[in-house]
Amino acid sequence: MAASNLAPGLTRKVKKILEIKTEGQDVISALSTLSSFYEENSQTARRSLRSTIEKRGLSIHEQFLISAEAAIQSLDTVQTHLEGLTASYQHITSVLSATKLATSPLLIEMERLERDLEGVEHKGRCIHDFLEQYQLAPEEISALQGEEVGPLFFSALARVRQIHENCRSLLRTHHQRAGLELMDMMATYQETVYERLCRWVQGECRSIGEYDAPEVGNTLQAAVCSLRERPVLFKYCAEEVATARHNALFQRFITALTRGGPGGMPRPIEIHAHDPKRYINDMLAWVHQALAGEREFIVTLFGEDKGSTTTESYNIEHLSMRSAADNSQQVHEDGIGSYVLLDRIFESICRPLKVRIEQVLMTSPPLLLCFQLAQLHSFYLGLVSRAVGPGAQLAAVLRSCRDMASRVFFEQLRSRGDKLIRSPPIPPVDLSPPPQVAETMHQLLEIISAYESAMESNPLPPGHPAQDAAAESEISPVLAAVLDPLMDACERGAEALKPDAPSRVDEVAKIDPSAHRIYLINCIVAILNGLPARKRSMISRAQLLSDMLEGHLSALVGSEVGRVLAKCGLSEILDRIRLYKPFLNSQQATPSQSSQDHSAADGLPSSDVALSIERISEAMRNFFVLVSSPDTLPEFFQIQAPRTRAEGVSRVARYLYESFEFLYSVVDDPTSGYLEHGGTTSIKNTPMQVRTILGVV
């Protein structure tokens, strides 16, 4: 009711006031500002609030105008300055336009000169590049013409070769004349430099020719490498080096033989000439040492041969000889090879070395020493062949000396064998091997020991097929040369022990028929015991001797068995029984249906008077009585090897038992016809009893 009494305008104001959001930031800020100058909250103050606020705003605007007046004055000053700058700019622009019109011909001329300068600089660079590729620098010319050979010299020489190669590209263009002139100039430089380099290398090599193991400097290596570009000069230089080393090596070898080293140490080699093995070994050792030094010098200086190897087989007989085509190809490629140079260098000592070795061998050294010298030559021949090639003269000299030592060795073996065959040893009374067997086997063992010692230096591992083949090929002729005459002499000596021999050892004494077999068995066993059969190279010879031993032992056992069977009468019976053996076999295959068949009965062993059951039983009884006697069976006491003697006794007992058992089985065979006459009932002893008596296992 009270609200409706308010005036409409007041109502709007009240509503507007009520709608004001007092928590707004603007309201809070306005009230805060109002509180700064609204000090008294009275009715008068509230009524004049509007005018107070307006006065406050007017005061603020007046302050703003006072402050802005200074800024306006500053802007007026800036405007004045800008107008002055604009006037100056217009003046400068007019001056520049006038100047540009005046200097335009100069700018055009400057651009033309810049283009000309670029062209001149390009030509200068082209000339510089041309001189770099086709001309030598003054310092390079000085290095080539100077006396010193060093890095600058080789660098300049490389530049000459490079320029010479670069000139070839000019020949493919329209600058052919310039290319030919430059190539001619560089060729002149090269020829002069290479000739000077060749003389320098020769001088350097002559200066180091007197040293045993000269050192090759980097400069000398580079010089020789550069000379390879001229094969003729390189070959000439290499030949000069080889000649210098050839003469120096000869002098050093003679000095080592006669005067020894500096101050007498090491002592002269010829001071040991009374000891052939040491004398030859010292010479070959010196040669090998010199060869190692010379090879190192040559390989370092001239390079290694293509295709050369240091792992060749020790067996020189299997070394392949280089063909003449290979040598010519090697010389064509490298001018001259290291094998050829080393061959020429060591050619100087071939003759004095060969003469001294042959002098030693012509004195006919002892047998073992000859073999040791042959092995020594084979060892050094392998070393030399791997260093200078198997076709070198030094290798040929060592091969010739080795062959001569082997020839002297086998001649001595042959002489001893012939002497042994001409005068065979007389068998001792106890049929033991003669002393010649032990002496010969002792010599053979010494030879084999020397060979095994030589094989220890073989680069191939033990058991290698190549090593085994080489050992067999080298030791087999020695075994044949030693053992064949020995066995022949033993057999000739054993002939005097045969009962029917034209001359006997003792005309009065009764000779055992088996004596010659026992004697040969003892000799063969002694040889086998002395032969190292564990070596593969000895297996074939040991097998041959074992076969001979088996043959003699079988013959000895057979003769003793025949003697026992003949004494009791079984020998003839067994021989006749064996004549009926085919018939008995056929009867077993197709037995007769009628025992009364006379045609069959006529072919039976029982129908033979010599094979009657009474005679067989009597012979078998005599056999049992004979083998029951302890002195009947042979004991072979004269066989010295216990195992062989036991084997012979065992075979005799077994063969006797088998003979008795065979005859007993024939009598017990229904097809033999003996069952009608009582069969085995007429035989008192059985095969088992005989086996027990003989001790057959």
Side-chain angles (χ1 to χ4, degrees), residues 441 444-445 448 452 527-539 542:
M441 293 308 299
L444 180 60
L445 288 178
I448 294 175
E452 291 177 350
I527 294 174
L528 276 174
N529 292 336
L531 194 66
R534 65 183 183 277
K535 302 295 182 181
R536 296 190 61 179
S537 56
M538 315 291 176
I539 292 178

Side-chain angles (χ1 to χ4, degrees), residues 138-379:
E139 58 272 12
E140 293 174 340
I141 296 176
S142 300
L144 293 176
Q145 295 177 351
E147 296 296 331
E148 183 180 358
V149 176
L152 294 178
F153 176 85
F154 293 111
S155 177
L157 181 58
R159 279 277 296 142
V160 171
R161 289 198 296 264
Q162 183 62 39
I163 292 173
H164 192 274
E165 291 296 325
N166 293 339
C167 290
R168 298 180 184 274
S169 61
L170 290 178
L171 299 180
R172 294 191 293 268
T173 64
H174 58 280
H175 302 293
Q176 295 181 358
R177 181 176 179 180
L180 291 174
E181 291 179 356
L182 290 173
M183 287 185 69
D184 183 64
M185 182 185 301
M186 294 302 112
T188 303
Y189 275 125
Q190 281 184 318
E191 294 301 325
T192 304
V193 170
Y194 280 125
E195 290 178 1
R196 175 168 168 262
L197 191 61
C198 181
R199 291 192 298 270
W200 183 84
V201 170
Q202 292 175 3
E204 289 292 318
C205 292
R206 290 194 192 99
S207 64
I208 63 177
E210 58 185 8
Y211 298 104
D212 293 347
E215 295 184 0
V216 180
N218 296 331
T219 303
L220 186 57
Q221 291 185 24
V224 174
C225 182
S226 299
L227 282 178
R228 288 186 182 275
E229 299 293 332
R230 292 293 184 270
V232 175
L233 293 177
F234 177 77
K235 184 177 180 181
Y236 177 70
C237 181
E239 290 175 350
E240 287 291 327
V241 172
T243 302
R245 302 302 299 173
H246 173 282
N247 298 331
L249 182 66
F250 177 78
Q251 294 297 330
R252 297 206 316 270
F253 183 62
I254 298 301
T255 301
L257 288 174
T258 56
R259 290 186 295 178
M265 293 302 294
R267 304 178 69 182
I269 296 177
E270 289 187 346
I271 201 172
H272 302 293
H274 62 281
D275 186 356
K277 184 178 179 181
R278 180 172 181 180
Y279 179 48
I280 295 179
N281 186 44
D282 288 348
M283 286 193 295
L284 295 180
W286 188 94
V287 171
H288 177 253
Q289 183 179 3
L291 179 60
E294 294 296 331
R295 175 176 173 77
E296 182 180 0
F297 171 74
I298 292 298
V299 170
T300 304
L301 189 58
F302 296 102
E304 182 77 30
D305 279 352
K306 295 181 179 178
S308 64
T309 178
T310 58
T311 58
E312 299 179 23
S313 174
Y314 177 78
N315 188 7
I316 305 304
E317 298 299 334
H318 296 86
L319 287 173
S320 59
M321 304 293 289
R322 292 183 302 170
S323 62
D326 294 337
N327 289 336
S328 62
Q329 180 70 16
Q330 182 67 38
V331 171
H332 175 72
E333 291 179 356
D334 292 337
I336 194 167
S338 61
Y339 279 169
V340 178
L341 292 176
L342 289 172
D343 188 18
R344 292 183 183 179
I345 293 173
F346 280 86
E347 179 188 1
S348 59
I349 64 172
C350 288
R351 180 172 178 80
L353 178 65
K354 183 178 181 181
V355 168
R356 284 164 174 78
I357 294 177
E358 288 180 349
Q359 286 177 351
V360 173
L361 296 177
M362 289 176 64
T363 59
S364 297
L367 181 67
L368 179 60
L369 181 58
C370 285
F371 184 79
Q372 291 175 340
L373 292 179
Q375 294 300 313
L376 184 65
H377 284 92
S378 295
F379 171 71

Side-chain angles (χ1 to χ4, degrees), residues 54-65:
E54 290 176 354
K55 289 179 181 180
R56 179 67 178 175
L58 180 60
S59 175
I60 291 171
H61 285 91
E62 288 176 352
Q63 292 177 0
F64 175 76
L65 290 175

Side-chain angles (χ1 to χ4, degrees), residues 16-72:
K16 185 176 181 181
I17 291 172
L18 292 176
E19 289 177 355
I20 293 174
K21 295 180 180 180
T22 58
E23 67 274 7
Q25 187 66 29
D26 295 338
V27 175
I28 294 173
S29 178
L31 293 176
S32 177
T33 303
L34 180 62
S35 62
S36 62
F37 62 88
Y38 187 73
E39 297 177 354
E40 184 180 359
N41 188 10
S42 60
Q43 184 176 6
T44 304
R46 286 194 297 270
R47 289 179 179 176
S48 59
L49 177 61
R50 182 180 185 89
S51 61
T52 302
I53 293 172
E54 290 176 354
K55 289 179 181 180
R56 179 67 178 175
L58 180 60
S59 175
I60 291 171
H61 285 91
E62 288 176 352
Q63 292 177 0
F64 175 76
L65 290 175
I66 293 170
S67 300
E69 185 177 359
I72 291 172

